[in-house]
Amino acid sequence: HDDIIDNSFVRRGQPTTNSTWNNAITVISGDFMFARAAINLGLIGINQITTIYAQVLEDLCDGEIWQAERKFNTELDYEFYLTKTFKKTASLFEAACKASSIICNASSKQVIAAAEYGRNLGMAFQIVDDILDYTEAPETLGKPALADLKEGHLTLPILICLENFKTLNEEKYNELINLINLVKENPDDSSEYLSKIKDLVLEADAINKSFDYAIKFTNNAKNVLDAFDNGEAKKILEDLLIFTTQRKS
């Protein structure tokens, strides 16, 4: 479903279902997976977990609608970005960690901590994903670079860049607004405009500032792990936070 929404034909270096077959087959395949997931939830037999996953499906759809309604909107603020990021990405991480802790009969304190860990991990993961769109080559990303921007999704690096220039350099700010509008008006011939936007994002130091946000979320995630005993499982969760901020694809 996400590949259709994003008009993606490559994901993680592999052709997407919609590029191999068509949108109809892709939608039906996604629906089949949802049905299979519902069956497996029923087999677990824990109503609380079924509720968690029903909520996350609502969040994912809500986040997609939020994003679709605000394409190429240069007036977005950080609150919108963070809320949308939670709904589209971090809610799934939160649900997975919370449900796993419930299955393992964790204490109430640990269930809350697991959910907070997942939420913060998910936020950091998505912010890093948005950074990589500006810093890595398509061969490394496994998808076209600046694909989100081309589709009109203004992520954290762009928002930071807009704020920076709006405050410090009106000429650069107006240039950036104009370039974003040109991408919107020329979707099939936007490579030059995208390249210039990338240069402005780098000039504004928006990548490092975005990375600071990711580190804040991984630190939050690490802190809540105090609710769990030291051991191999906890070490894996800590290592996952390091991987999240060091990954290149």
Side-chain angles (χ1 to χ4, degrees):
H1 293 170
D2 208 34
D3 292 331
I4 294 174
I5 293 169
D6 294 342
N7 293 315
S8 297
F9 298 106
V10 178
R11 185 79 71 170
R12 305 299 177 194
Q14 300 296 320
T16 56
T17 306
N18 52 308
S19 68
T20 304
W21 287 283
N22 54 51
N23 287 351
I25 292 296
T26 303
V27 170
I28 293 169
S29 297
D31 291 346
F32 174 82
M33 292 178 185
F34 279 134
R36 179 60 63 186
I39 291 171
N40 290 335
L41 283 173
L43 293 174
I44 292 173
I46 301 177
N47 289 338
Q48 186 179 1
I49 293 178
T50 303
T51 302
I52 289 170
Y53 278 93
Q55 180 62 58
V56 81
L57 287 176
E58 179 182 306
D59 286 335
L60 291 170
C61 294
D62 196 19
E64 287 291 352
I65 293 170
W66 271 43
Q67 179 171 270
E69 289 177 337
R70 293 163 176 82
K71 285 187 174 184
F72 294 104
N73 186 339
T74 56
E75 298 298 321
L76 299 178
D77 57 21
Y78 294 155
E79 182 178 355
F80 165 80
Y81 171 81
L82 294 173
T83 302
K84 182 262 297 182
T85 298
F86 167 74
K87 287 178 176 291
K88 286 189 76 250
T89 304
S91 63
L92 185 59
F93 284 70
E94 178 185 72
C97 292
K98 184 176 182 179
S100 298
S101 66
I102 291 170
I103 290 173
C104 294
N105 296 315
S107 67
S108 297
K109 179 181 178 181
Q110 289 174 329
V111 170
I112 293 171
E116 290 182 5
Y117 171 87
R119 180 168 62 253
N120 282 284
L121 172 63
M123 294 296 291
F125 183 92
Q126 185 58 57
I127 290 171
V128 170
D129 219 48
D130 294 338
I131 291 170
L132 294 177
D133 213 25
Y134 289 89
T135 61
E136 300 302 322
E139 297 77 19
T140 303
L141 287 174
K143 63 178 182 178
L146 302 178
D148 283 342
L149 180 55
K150 185 176 180 180
E151 290 295 319
H153 308 317
L154 306 190
T155 55
L156 187 58
I158 277 281
L159 298 183
I160 290 174
C161 186
L162 283 165
E163 180 186 62
N164 180 285
F165 287 139
K166 187 174 185 178
T167 304
L168 303 175
N169 193 322
E170 185 178 357
E171 182 180 349
K172 293 282 188 182
Y173 175 75
N174 290 331
E175 179 185 358
L176 181 56
I177 295 290
N178 183 53
L179 287 167
I180 292 170
N181 287 331
L182 286 170
V183 172
K184 179 181 180 180
E185 295 163 5
N186 302 274
D188 297 324
D189 188 25
S190 58
S191 57
E192 179 184 351
Y193 310 129
L194 291 169
S195 179
K196 289 181 178 179
I197 291 172
K198 178 180 177 179
D199 290 342
L200 289 173
V201 167
L202 296 175
E203 181 182 337
D205 198 31
I207 298 303
N208 288 329
K209 292 174 182 176
S210 297
F211 194 71
D212 288 341
Y213 273 85
I215 293 297
K216 181 183 108 174
F217 283 112
T218 56
N219 285 341
N220 290 344
K222 184 175 181 180
N223 289 337
V224 300
L225 289 178
D226 290 342
F228 301 95
D229 295 334
N230 292 330
E232 183 180 359
K234 184 174 179 178
K235 179 65 166 52
I236 291 172
L237 294 177
E238 291 172 340
D239 289 345
L240 185 56
L241 297 173
I242 296 172
F243 166 79
T244 297
T245 56
Q246 292 183 349
R247 69 190 181 92
K248 299 298 180 183
S249 64

